[in-house]
Amino acid sequence: MNVSPLVWALTILGILALLLFDFFFHVRTAHTPTLGEAAIWSAVYVGIAVLFGGGVWLLGGATLGSEYFAGYITEKALSVDNLFVFLIIMASFNVPRADQQKALLFGIVFALLARTAFIFLGAALVNSYAFVFYLFGLILLVTAAQMLKPGSAKGRSANNVIVRLAKRFLRTSETYDGDRLFTIDRGRRVMTPMLLVMVAIGGTDVLFALDSIPAIFGLTQSVFIVFTATAFSLLGLRQLYFLIDGLLDRLIYLSYGLAAILAFIGVKLILHALHENNLPFVNNAQPLHVPEISTAVSLSVIAGVLIITVSSSLISVRILAGRAQRHAGESPDKK
């Protein structure tokens, strides 16, 4: 898909406008969004992403449209997994509920910047070196294996290297001053813990980009599709955080579903790499005639895995809760 500079400029301006709107109308004044507010604006951002995908489908064709939706759904699912870590960070730093919005919006902006850099780096590597598909495929397979480890999502620490260095060399106050980044403490201008929260979120965003960008490059090699699917998956993540905060602990099988998706895309990348092979130690640098997975199949698998994962999680949690309630209601005599 050959995208004109004008379309690129309009797309970027539209994304920036949405971020500015989010800041000035929702985040600038500290407050805790109600469930209704979070639900409405989550639906609005999903609707915008779907409308954009519809435009891609109409103007770019069914293949590009399918690639966009497959990438968007995958990145959105990975973003939900990221919310687990954001919860850990907020809890670790005891961030007041009303002040969490600014930290989340910063995380979204930083993630967008970091992933944009990785997107163009990845595109340059893909266009120059065909073996990168092998590397991306292995990264996703290793990531999928790590996600299957018990407590892998909740075991990620908010106290990463960047935060430890910031705590050691920068002066920070012990308490928050609203959502301000700097405050006056004993006559000195120091940073508040809110800045450390943003550093922690920014550090984890870089790690998330290392997983998510290879995943979407496994679905499409169009830089425009990769960028827009990634950007629209991040927009509305702040509202989604407050909407499904209480639901996250119920998605007990989400890590397994995401592991299956990443493993599937990893295999798809390796098959593509074999099909385009030019490594001298693999089949004498000749392409192998292996089957390739179509975008339609990818979209079906990704959507199917997520539907099964979410529904089975909610059903299992309901069954377990029912058993616990019945057990608690049993009298000692019945035992």
Side-chain angles (χ1 to χ4, degrees):
M1 182 181 182
N2 188 17
V3 181
S4 67
L6 177 61
V7 173
W8 267 104
L10 291 175
T11 302
I12 292 172
L13 285 175
I15 292 170
L16 290 175
L18 288 172
L19 289 172
L20 289 173
F21 174 83
D22 205 17
F23 175 76
F24 284 106
F25 288 90
H26 296 118
V27 176
R28 194 175 186 183
T29 302
H31 73 286
T32 302
T34 64
L35 187 62
E37 178 186 345
I40 290 172
W41 284 106
S42 293
V44 168
Y45 279 104
V46 171
I48 291 172
V50 171
L51 287 175
F52 184 87
V56 171
W57 195 298
L58 290 174
L59 299 176
T63 299
L64 284 175
S66 299
E67 289 178 355
Y68 168 83
F69 282 110
Y72 173 75
I73 293 171
T74 300
E75 293 297 307
K76 198 69 173 178
L78 291 171
S79 296
V80 172
D81 186 55
N82 297 357
L83 294 182
F84 281 108
V85 184
F86 290 167
L87 281 172
I88 295 172
I89 292 173
M90 298 295 183
S92 299
F93 287 95
N94 295 316
V95 182
R97 185 74 169 169
D99 299 327
Q100 292 180 4
Q101 293 200 93
K102 179 176 283 190
L104 287 169
L105 185 60
F106 167 83
I108 292 169
V109 173
F110 189 90
L112 185 57
L113 293 174
R115 294 184 193 195
T116 299
F118 278 108
I119 285 168
F120 285 100
L121 176 61
L125 292 174
V126 165
N127 292 330
S128 302
Y129 307 101
F131 73 86
V132 170
F133 288 109
Y134 287 110
L135 179 61
F136 282 180
L138 289 174
I139 288 174
L140 295 183
L141 291 175
V142 170
T143 303
Q146 290 177 340
M147 294 186 76
L148 294 176
K149 295 179 181 179
S152 59
K154 296 180 181 179
R156 300 172 194 169
S157 174
N159 194 28
N160 56 40
V161 175
I162 300 175
V163 174
R164 289 198 294 271
L165 289 174
K167 286 181 176 179
R168 182 174 180 180
F169 294 106
L170 301 176
R171 292 180 298 185
T172 59
S173 63
E174 296 295 327
T175 58
Y176 289 91
D177 186 7
D179 59 1
R180 294 182 178 87
L181 303 183
F182 296 91
T183 188
I184 303 299
D185 182 27
R186 287 174 289 187
R188 297 187 305 174
R189 183 176 175 81
V190 297
M191 293 180 296
T192 67
M194 180 62 72
L195 191 59
L196 293 180
V197 173
M198 292 184 174
V199 170
I201 291 176
T204 55
D205 280 333
V206 174
L207 298 178
F208 290 142
L210 296 176
D211 298 337
S212 65
I213 298 307
I216 195 168
F217 268 111
L219 300 169
T220 178
Q221 278 79 62
S222 169
V223 177
F224 183 75
I225 298 299
V226 171
F227 172 75
T228 52
T230 300
F232 283 111
S233 71
L234 291 172
L235 293 174
L237 189 61
R238 178 187 63 80
Q239 291 86 349
L240 191 63
Y241 173 89
F242 290 97
L243 178 62
I244 66 174
D245 185 355
L247 184 63
L248 285 175
D249 288 337
R250 301 182 186 181
L251 301 178
I252 56 177
Y253 301 133
L254 179 63
S255 60
Y256 298 105
L258 292 176
I261 291 172
L262 292 180
F264 169 78
I265 299 175
V267 171
K268 184 178 187 292
L269 274 169
I270 291 174
L271 289 174
H272 179 74
L274 291 170
H275 189 76
E276 303 289 334
N277 177 64
N278 59 7
L279 293 179
F281 53 85
V282 177
N283 197 35
N284 295 321
Q286 297 299 314
L288 282 81
H289 299 290
V290 295
E292 288 206 82
I293 302 171
S294 68
T295 304
V297 172
S298 299
L299 181 57
S300 301
V301 169
I302 292 167
V305 168
L306 286 176
I307 290 171
I308 293 171
T309 299
V310 173
S311 58
S312 59
S313 294
L314 297 178
I315 292 171
S316 296
V317 167
R318 181 174 295 182
I319 292 173
L320 292 173
R323 289 177 179 174
Q325 189 174 10
R326 288 195 300 271
H327 181 74
E330 288 180 357
S331 63
D333 294 334
K334 291 182 179 180
K335 293 181 181 181

